[in-house]
């Protein structure tokens, strides 16, 4: 329970001050605990940051995957997943920005671990795609999943600066791109190579 309380407080402080503006001392003061308690749970500020990202990403991913899981076809899965993704942004843009708009200057082990979190999301997108495109080249599926995930993030950032655009239109814009990208994988035959996927 204490760990979850610390994560909730840390998440709020990371959202308010960013990675660079966060300090363990501020967290200890807000939570009424000592530094050793925080370090016992998370090891370091970086460990705390990663724990916050994992927690939020897992919530977001589960929402996305659940939305697409029972879709009868790939096109429906794309739209239902997209609607869930952009609903998350609309409902809690600052929390979404913590996960998808993190500091680009991070390097080293922390950057590598954040990349691993992103690839876990890609793996889940790929798994859904393979369900509807079982004969598609696996390398192509992964590449397309990276492209579509990146497009979703970038459209999300653009939408945050243009909130007057209705969510339904944002979903349409994303689906126009993702549909063409993924449906060509679904059209690939069992012997199709990564470079020979037909364009619809």
């Amino acid at each position: 329970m204490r760990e979850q309380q610390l994560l909730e407080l840390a998440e709020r402080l990371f959202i308010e001050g960013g990675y660079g503006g966060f300090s363990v001392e501020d967290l200890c003061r807000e939570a009424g605990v000592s530094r050793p308690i925080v370090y016992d749970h998370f090891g370091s500020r970086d460990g705390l940051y990663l724990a916050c990202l994992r927690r939020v990403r897992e919530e977001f991913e589960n929402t996305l995957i659940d939305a697409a899981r029972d879709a009868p076809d790939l096109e429906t899965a794309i739209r239902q997943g997209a609607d869930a993704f952009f609903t998350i942004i609309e409902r809690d843009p600052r929390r979404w920005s913590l996960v998808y708009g993190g500091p680009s200057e991070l390097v080293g082990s922390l950057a590598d671990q954040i990349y691993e979190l992103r690839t876990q999301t890609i793996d889940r997108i790929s798994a859904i795609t393979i369900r509807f495109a079982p004969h598609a080249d696996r390398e192509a599926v992964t590449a397309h999943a990276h492209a579509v995930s990146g497009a979703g993030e970038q459209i999300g950032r653009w939408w945050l600066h243009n909130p007057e655009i209705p969510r339904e239109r944002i979903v349409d814009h994303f689906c126009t791109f993702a549909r063409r990208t993924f449906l060509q994988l679904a059209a690939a035959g069992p012997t199709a190579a990564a470079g020979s996927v037909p364009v619809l």
Side-chain angles (χ1 to χ4, degrees), residues 53-191:
L53 293 186
R54 287 193 189 98
R55 178 172 174 262
V56 182
R57 283 191 82 96
E58 183 175 357
E59 290 179 25
F60 287 178
E61 282 183 23
N62 287 340
T63 300
L64 244 66
I65 300 305
D66 287 346
R69 189 188 313 277
D70 298 325
D73 53 62
L74 184 54
E75 188 162 359
T76 304
I78 292 169
R79 179 160 291 276
Q80 291 179 178
D83 189 63
F85 179 74
F86 291 107
T87 295
I88 286 170
I89 300 177
E90 185 175 50
R91 184 179 64 236
D92 204 340
R94 297 181 71 200
R95 199 167 189 233
W96 181 87
S97 294
L98 173 66
V99 176
Y100 292 97
S104 58
E105 70 273 11
L106 294 179
V107 295
S109 175
L110 180 58
D112 291 340
Q113 291 179 78
I114 291 173
Y115 177 75
E116 285 301 315
L117 292 180
R118 289 175 180 260
T119 59
Q120 289 171 22
T121 303
I122 301 300
D123 290 343
R124 299 185 76 177
I125 294 172
S126 297
I128 290 177
T129 306
I130 289 169
R131 180 160 68 92
F132 295 107
H135 301 303
D137 181 85
R138 294 301 188 263
E139 181 180 296
V141 170
T142 301
H144 283 63
H146 274 278
V148 168
S149 176
E153 292 182 26
Q154 194 59 34
I155 290 173
R157 294 187 188 98
W158 171 63
W159 189 30
L160 290 180
H161 292 282
N162 297 272
E164 73 281 359
I165 303 174
R167 188 184 76 248
E168 292 77 10
R169 286 225 307 272
I170 293 294
V171 171
D172 285 342
H173 290 318
F174 174 80
C175 287
T176 297
F177 169 78
R179 184 186 301 113
R180 180 175 294 274
T181 300
F182 278 143
L183 290 184
Q184 61 183 311
L185 289 175
T191 60

Side-chain angles (χ1 to χ4, degrees), residues 5-85:
Q5 290 171 339
L6 288 173
L7 281 174
E8 287 175 8
L9 280 171
E11 182 185 310
R12 177 170 61 79
L13 292 172
F14 276 122
I15 288 173
E16 291 175 354
Y19 175 81
F22 177 90
S23 74
V24 173
E25 289 78 9
D26 289 340
L27 176 62
C28 291
R29 186 163 50 251
E30 290 250 2
V33 299
S34 62
R35 289 172 62 94
I37 288 177
V38 174
Y39 289 126
D40 283 346
H41 280 292
F42 305 106
S44 65
R45 181 178 76 155
D46 287 354
L48 187 56
Y49 184 59
L50 285 168
C52 285
L53 293 186
R54 287 193 189 98
R55 178 172 174 262
V56 182
R57 283 191 82 96
E58 183 175 357
E59 290 179 25
F60 287 178
E61 282 183 23
N62 287 340
T63 300
L64 244 66
I65 300 305
D66 287 346
R69 189 188 313 277
D70 298 325
D73 53 62
L74 184 54
E75 188 162 359
T76 304
I78 292 169
R79 179 160 291 276
Q80 291 179 178
D83 189 63
F85 179 74

